[in-house]
Structures are given as structure tokens and as C-alpha cells.
Amino acid sequence: MTATEATGRDRAGGSVAAPDRLVPQSTPGATPPPLIARAAAELVGTAALVAIVVGSGIQATELTEDVGLQLLANSTATVFGLGVLILLLGPVSGAHFNPVVTLAEWWTTRRRGAGVTLRETAVYIPAQVIGAIAGAFLADAMFGAPLVKWSTHNRSAGHLLLGEVVATAGLILLIFGLARTDRLRFAPAAVASYIGAAYWFTSSTSFANPAVTIGRAFTDTFAGIAPRSVPGFLGMQLIGAVVGLALVALIFMPGRKAAA
């Protein structure tokens, strides 16, 4: 989840189709907000995202016993909520809300120093995890559920792990594909739409986010995940991120400069 990307030029004046920075700026060339502001945006944004996912899941189970309708309500709330959060906080931190997005940005831009630095990555990821846990507590508190109760929803089956690889790879492909084609302005709608679709076409209902996965272990509700299932999901999400970056490199390979 991110918002804009600078497009560079090589020394001969040709365009370079490679991502320089996924962190958006309200004005081209502007100095990014202070790191503390960006970290706060990542913490608050991830907390809000998890509160939306968990809270809408609780609300859905209280309104109907139909699992299909529960998933529909949960996914619809997530689509709208995620789109709003990216639109609101993207200009501050890039609206990653996701450690694999942060790690992928650092990895792809580490040699040019144009993306998040290693220091910024080390700040973003803890903020995202803390925010996710806080979001789960907040959702439980709003609906009168126990604040600290580990989920009992086992999600360890192999087909669910495969679903996480697919979901995460698709998310990374989408975000960095938009970056390579200079269309990150569409990220709020595109990312939210993808996550909403992935709720339905992946067997795991598309967690695709290590921080959110950890946060959802703290709530024994519709959206929860048992702690013993968390390591498997985290591992598959990292694999999915690698697969997604490989697909970006293959599909959006920069063209060669034409001979004079």
C-alpha cells in the first residue's frame, strides 16, 4: 500500500522504468514528513485496518449465522476501510501497513537509497505490528469481547498456506507493478479492490500481511487465527513477497534504449 513513485532518467536522458521511492510526497521534490510522523501513520493505519477487519467480523457474526454473508460483510468493510486509509495516510508514510511491502520497497531501492532506508524499515515494522495488536484489542473492546484471548481458529492446512503465497504475491505484483508504470495514484482503489477480491478467490481469505496476521491472533473471533498457525502464515507471506518481486522484475522488465 503506497502512493507515488518518482520516475528517474539515465545520464543520456532516457527514461528509467524503475521504482525510486514509494513514499508519496504532496509536492514533487518535497521533503518527506519526519520519521516519527511516518511511524505514527503506520501504527495508526495498521491499527485501524485490523480494527476494521476484526470489528466487521464480530458485527457480521452477530447479525447473521450465514457464513457467506459474514464473509461478504467482512470483505466489504475491509475494501472501503482500506481504500480510505491509503488515501488518507499515503501522503504521510506511503500507507504500507504491511511489513512485506516495507521490506520489498527497501530491497528494491536499497542500492539507490531512494526508498525506505534500513533504519526506516526498522521503525516501520514494529510500528505496524504494535498497531495491529492494538487494533485487535480496540475491536474486541468496542464489542465487549475479552481483550486478551488467543484465537482458536486453526488455519494450518496446506491449501491455506498456498493461498497466502498467492495472495501476497499478487499484492506485491500489484503495488510494484503500479509503481513501475507510474500509476500509483490508483493505489487506494486498486489495492483495496484486490484485497476484497482475494478474500473470495484465495483459500486463506487473503491475510497477505504479517502484522495483521499477528494482530488477528489476539482475538478469538471470526477474523482470528490461532497462534500455532501464525508462523506458517508468516513464512508463506515472505515467500509470496519474493515471488511477487520476481514477477515484477519479469513482467515489467525495462526496455532497452534504441540504437541511434
Side-chain angles (χ1 to χ4, degrees):
M1 298 118 187
T2 114
T4 65
E5 173 195 71
T7 300
R9 290 191 172 272
D10 63 18
R11 295 179 181 177
S15 62
V16 177
D20 287 325
R21 188 176 183 90
L22 296 179
V23 176
Q25 299 174 357
S26 56
T27 303
T31 302
L35 181 56
I36 188 172
R38 285 178 277 151
E42 287 297 302
L43 189 153
V44 171
T46 311
L49 174 59
V50 173
I52 290 167
V53 172
V54 174
S56 62
I58 297 173
Q59 184 79 282
T61 57
E62 291 183 353
L63 293 175
T64 179
E65 295 182 357
D66 187 314
V67 178
L69 289 178
Q70 291 171 359
L71 185 60
L72 178 62
N74 194 209
S75 60
T76 301
T78 302
V79 167
F80 288 121
L82 180 57
V84 168
L85 289 172
I86 296 173
L87 189 64
L88 174 65
L89 298 175
V92 180
S93 68
H96 294 187
F97 312 147
N98 189 333
V100 295
V101 173
T102 301
L103 286 170
E105 182 185 331
W106 168 74
W107 178 260
T108 56
T109 62
R110 69 194 186 285
R111 294 176 181 173
R112 295 187 300 278
V116 289
T117 65
L118 187 59
R119 174 174 173 265
E120 291 168 335
T121 299
V123 173
Y124 268 39
I125 292 177
Q128 292 159 354
V129 173
I130 292 170
I133 295 171
F137 288 166
L138 177 61
D140 284 340
M142 287 192 294
F143 287 90
L147 294 185
V148 182
K149 187 176 182 181
W150 295 112
S151 175
T152 56
H153 194 160
N154 181 40
R155 299 178 189 264
S156 300
H159 66 282
L160 300 181
L161 299 178
L162 176 60
E164 277 304 286
V165 174
V166 172
T168 310
L171 178 63
I172 295 298
L173 175 61
L174 171 62
I175 293 172
F176 288 84
L178 290 175
R180 289 289 180 98
T181 56
D182 194 26
R183 292 184 295 170
L184 274 171
R185 60 190 178 279
F186 300 117
V191 173
S193 297
Y194 172 78
I195 292 298
Y199 257 86
W200 291 90
F201 81 77
T202 65
S203 56
S204 64
T205 65
S206 183
F207 284 49
N209 184 327
V212 168
T213 301
I214 293 170
R216 288 168 69 166
F218 285 82
T219 176
D220 192 21
T221 59
F222 177 79
I225 177 172
R228 64 180 177 276
S229 300
V230 169
F233 265 51
L234 299 186
M236 295 303 104
Q237 288 158 359
L238 290 174
I239 292 173
V242 172
V243 172
L245 287 177
L247 290 173
V248 171
L250 175 64
I251 296 171
F252 299 99
M253 189 181 303
R256 296 182 178 180
K257 184 180 177 181

